[in-house]
Each structure stands twice: as C-alpha cells, then as structure tokens.
Amino acid sequence: MRIDIWSDIVCPWCYIGKARFERALAGFEHADEVEVEFHSFRLDPSAPEEPEPVLDALADKYGMSADQARAADAGARANAEGEGLPFTSERSHANTFDAHRLLHLARDRGVQREAVDTLFRAYFGEGADVFGRDALVGLAEKAGLDADEARRVLEGRQYADHVEDDTEQARALGATGVPFFVIDERYGVSGAQPADVFTQVLEKAWEERD
C-alpha cells in the first residue's frame, strides 16, 4: 500500500502530522507492506532567500500582531511537545526551494525518510539553518547522502521541475495546504489529524484493496 505525503520543512503542523501518522503506522498490522513517499509543497513560495525570525515572518504573512504570532507559535509548540517532539521558537524563516530539491535527491538515493527527519529535527528541534547551501550539504551528509553530490545538485537547478510538479499534483488533488496525506491513491487526509484518525483510514484502505 502506498502513502503519499505533501509537506513543507518549515511547517510545524507537517512536523506534528508526520509524527502522528508514524505513530499510527507503527501500530498498523501491515506496516511492513506500506511504502511512504514525501512530496514538495511550499507554503510560501515567495519567501525571501535571506532568513528572518520566524515570528516576524508569521506576523507579516498573516497580518498578526507580535503577541498573536507568539501565541500561534506557542500553540504549535504545545502540540509538538505533546507528541514528544523537540520544538524551539528561536528559528528563522526563508525560502525552502533548495531543501525540497535536496529531498528529491534523497528519494532517488533511498534515504528520503532519513532526510525529512534530519531537516525537521534540525529546524524545529535546534533552530538550525535549513536554507543555506552549506548548511543543507551538512544535513544531507547526516542523512546519508554524499556531500559532493548534494552540493552539485544545490549549486545547479536539478529537481527544480520535480518541486513544481509536486505542488501542481497536490492542487489537482484538491489540497490547499499541508500536511496532506493520500492513502492508497483513494483517501485524502488533510492536516495534522490525531493518530487514531490515521489508524482508521489505514485499516479501511487495507480492507478495500483489490
């Protein structure tokens, strides 16, 4: 059974939703027969290349006050910590295009899940840079990729079309935001749903397989 997940590296609900989905998958009887693939969806394609404090970016994008931005981030942090995930508000925000290209390379090299984990943990857990090319090369190596190959990809335009194609595919499926999960090409689940919701959909999709 195939699971497709659209997400963005700087999306806290993608980080949380991934953890909830994986908790459901861990308890699923047929987990060893499930293939998971992550797809690109940039929540803010117009985000600048130069990082800025995430709370400033939240306030600017959604027209929030500083207090509202802090409250929104605190809500995400409470949910993340409820899943046992590290979460810091001391992080930056910038364009994730290169990070997504790196994840496509990771998919082709068979370490996509490791790369997604590495980027999420670095960004939300440590407030680390996941935008600059030197930082991304270091994270790529941590995830099991060849550093020289990762640098060549990031310095060129490889996988740029893949990032755009993923986004168009998500929109064609009716996704307007992320995380967005497609279970066995038949059930869509939007948002960071509780683990038991994912469990129910996994079981239903399995029962209805041809």
Side-chain angles (χ1 to χ4, degrees):
M1 189 163 72
R2 179 184 174 88
I3 314 294
D4 294 281
I5 304 173
W6 278 262
S7 63
D8 197 355
I9 290 303
V10 296
C11 165
W13 297 105
C14 297
Y15 180 49
I16 294 161
K18 174 179 171 294
R20 292 175 176 170
F21 165 75
E22 289 179 342
R23 181 148 54 88
L25 185 61
F28 182 53
E29 181 181 359
H30 307 286
D32 58 346
E33 297 179 65
V34 173
E35 175 190 356
V36 178
E37 183 171 332
F38 287 87
H39 299 272
S40 302
F41 191 105
R42 290 184 295 155
L43 282 172
D44 190 5
S46 63
E49 300 292 332
E50 193 65 31
E52 62 178 323
V54 71
L55 296 181
D56 291 350
L58 274 174
D60 290 344
K61 182 175 181 181
Y62 297 106
M64 296 176 172
S65 68
D67 286 345
Q68 287 172 326
R70 279 193 293 272
D73 197 59
R77 183 174 66 247
N79 276 271
E81 290 173 350
E83 298 299 325
L85 299 172
F87 192 101
T88 178
S89 297
E90 298 300 319
R91 58 191 198 278
S92 297
H93 179 79
N95 202 292
T96 56
F97 189 67
D98 281 345
H100 282 295
R101 292 198 298 124
L102 187 67
L103 292 179
H104 280 281
L105 170 64
R107 181 201 58 194
D108 284 354
R109 298 295 174 263
V111 293
Q112 189 188 48
R113 291 180 74 174
E114 292 86 348
V116 171
D117 283 343
T118 298
L119 291 177
F120 270 143
R121 291 281 177 159
Y123 182 66
F124 287 105
E126 303 165 18
D129 180 5
V130 295
F131 311 107
R133 289 181 180 173
D134 287 342
L136 283 170
V137 169
L139 292 168
E141 195 168 20
K142 274 188 182 179
L145 288 166
D146 178 79
D148 291 337
E149 182 179 31
R151 187 174 294 281
R152 284 195 300 272
V153 166
L154 293 171
E155 288 178 350
R157 293 287 297 171
Q158 194 173 351
Y159 298 111
D161 289 346
H162 293 65
V163 175
E164 301 298 345
D165 289 347
D166 271 359
T167 301
E168 289 305 313
Q169 185 182 4
R171 289 178 177 147
L173 290 169
T176 57
V178 285
F180 184 68
F181 303 77
V182 175
I183 317 297
D184 205 28
E185 300 184 327
R186 67 178 78 188
Y187 291 108
V189 179
S190 182
Q193 300 293 332
D196 60 354
V197 171
F198 290 115
T199 297
Q200 291 168 18
V201 178
L202 286 168
E203 291 174 351
K204 184 176 179 63
W206 186 268
E207 288 169 3
E208 295 179 356
R209 295 179 79 210
D210 295 333

